Amino acid sequence: MSKDVAADIPAAEAPAKRAPLNKYALACAILASMNSILLGYDVSVMSGAQIFMKRDLNITDTQIEVLAGIINIFSLVGSLAAGQTSDWIGRRYTMVLASVIFFAGALIMGLAPSYAVLMLGRFVAGVGVGYALMIAPVYTAEVAPTSARGLLTSFPEVFINTGVLLGYISNYAFHGLPVHLSWRAMFLAGAVPPVFLAVGVLAMPESPRWLVMQGRIGDARRVLQKTSDSPEEAVERLADIKNAVGIPEGIADDDNDELVAIVRKNKGAHGEGVLRDLLLHPTPPVRRILIACLGLQFFQQASGIDSVVLYSPRVFEKAGIKSDANTLGATISVGATKTLFILVATFLLDRVGRRPLLLTSAGGMVVSLVTLASTLHVIAQRGSPAGGATALSGVSIASVLTFVASFSIGMGPIAWVYSSEIFPLRLRAQGCALGTAMNRIMSGAITMSFYSLSHKITLAGNFYLYASIAAAGWVFMYCFLPETRGRGLEDTEKLFGGGDGVEKEDGHGHAKSTELTAQ
């Protein structure tokens, strides 16, 4: 970005006096973000269920590894479909669909008589997870007022961590049942939250940005009046959205036929042409935005967080904790730490900013992973932990807790916050869907290779590898990600060289916003 362009962009500043948190927007964000419980629960409940599943079904470590990680690959179906679905039927009904699909998947897994049926249940649940993971931050970012967007858009990660904690608690609560019932009860308990989530979502309003994309300006105005910090902000947000969609001034808000015709001409009503503008013919600003989104999602997962959450019982076992009760009890501390520190992050996002938290988070992850890997290496060299190795066991556990805490104060929530902020309106849903797809691909690759890599390069080598990736992520974020704190949602693309949002004709005769054009 040139110096002249940079000079035209005002520096991001926090408001001198913070507006009171909008309670209606807060309620919408909480309801939407609760869908993310499904992902956290499914990942963590598998960490304990696999212990009993392996004994009951007589399956190998490789089969467990595939079963645990394949849901992330399956979730690609949901995350990629969610972009188009949410542009077609709306953000709200997409969340209802996510809950219904996950409910069916939880039932299939809990009642599965064989490994093959378990795999079917993982597929169905994975599609539901993909839908929920993509749509929650998009909806929340579109509803939240600018002053609290960082706080509210981090809520999906808060509820992912809540789901992780609930999954660990479920593991501990049901571990005393007979082997053939314990893991089934753990999965069936996951069918309860989607029922309440689907009902709660129906009480939410639709996203004002989606409503404008359908030409429903009056409905969008009513939602913005409830979710903005002031009437003036509601007017300004509506004007920005109309400008981004390509609705010129002077068009009557109740002239639905003309509004819909304008929006469809600009190919924004149902997402037509979006993937073309994202992948086939992106402008330089869009290319930079897409790289920022995909890179951030890549490093979030490639640094090993899901392996630590999913396989922490095995890590603690290698560190010297032998009984099922003690191992599962220690994993609860992982869930509690993740949940506690994500709450810290939510209150710092709009005060400190995205970049400082991301860089602090990645730095803490590198240090924690190197310490964990080094400790496990020493323990492996000494053999079964005993005597002096007891202290090393404590260091291993502390390193895991420090790692998840570091992840939760930055990389965890901000990957979703940042991705949902930087895309222009017309590209947001499907752009975020691509980011979610990258996230799930890497999560699947990491979790499905954990045991295999541990056999090849040792458990300690695994964590050294994750540490090197996290270090590369620090460099990427330092060099490539601008600060977005305090900017309007329709304004953030200017940081990547975007224009002013005025409609122009592209080379193919299609209306195209200059928000996608380099200045």
Side-chain angles (χ1 to χ4, degrees), residues 290 293-294 297-298 416 419 423 430-440:
L290 188 61
C293 173
L294 296 181
Q297 296 288 2
F298 170 87
W416 303 110
S419 298
F423 283 101
Q430 295 189 47
C432 288
L434 291 175
T436 303
M438 171 63 77
N439 184 282
R440 294 297 87 202

Side-chain angles (χ1 to χ4, degrees), residues 215-287:
R216 295 165 56 183
I217 309 299
D219 291 338
R221 177 181 288 106
R222 284 187 284 275
V223 175
L224 288 169
Q225 288 170 345
K226 293 181 179 179
T227 60
S228 298
D229 290 332
S230 67
E232 293 76 18
E233 184 189 5
V235 172
E236 183 179 348
R237 288 173 68 188
L238 181 59
D240 286 343
I241 297 169
K242 290 169 67 176
N243 184 49
V245 172
I247 298 175
E249 295 182 9
I251 301 295
D253 290 353
D254 58 356
D255 192 349
N256 291 333
D257 291 340
E258 184 173 0
L259 288 168
V260 171
I262 291 171
V263 173
R264 287 182 176 171
K265 179 185 176 183
N266 294 335
K267 299 188 180 296
H270 299 306
E272 295 90 338
V274 168
L275 289 179
R276 178 199 67 200
D277 290 338
L278 279 169
L279 299 176
L280 299 181
H281 306 292
T283 60
V286 170
R287 187 181 299 113

Side-chain angles (χ1 to χ4, degrees), residues 160-204:
I160 288 176
N161 285 282
T162 302
V164 167
L165 180 57
L166 291 175
Y168 285 145
I169 292 173
S170 176
N171 289 157
Y172 190 82
F174 296 119
H175 84 277
L177 294 176
V179 171
H180 70 288
L181 293 178
S182 56
W183 64 270
R184 298 178 189 279
M186 295 171 188
F187 282 126
L188 287 173
V192 176
V195 177
F196 296 98
L197 294 178
V199 174
V201 166
L202 292 176
M204 295 160 43

Side-chain angles (χ1 to χ4, degrees), residues 452-471:
S452 301
L453 276 176
S454 296
H455 294 151
K456 296 285 185 181
I457 63 175
T458 74
L459 187 61
N462 241 359
F463 290 113
Y464 279 128
L465 175 62
Y466 296 155
S468 64
I469 294 173

Side-chain angles (χ1 to χ4, degrees), residues 326-377:
N326 289 340
T327 298
L328 295 177
T331 61
I332 292 179
S333 66
V334 175
T337 301
K338 283 185 97 267
T339 303
L340 174 63
F341 279 87
I342 191 65
L343 294 175
V344 173
T346 60
F347 291 104
L348 293 178
L349 268 167
D350 291 315
R351 292 174 169 82
V352 176
R354 283 56 160 161
R355 272 178 59 88
L357 288 177
L358 279 172
L359 297 175
T360 301
S361 172
M365 290 164 64
V366 172
V367 173
S368 301
L369 287 168
V370 170
T371 304
L372 175 61
S374 301
T375 306
L376 290 174
H377 176 72

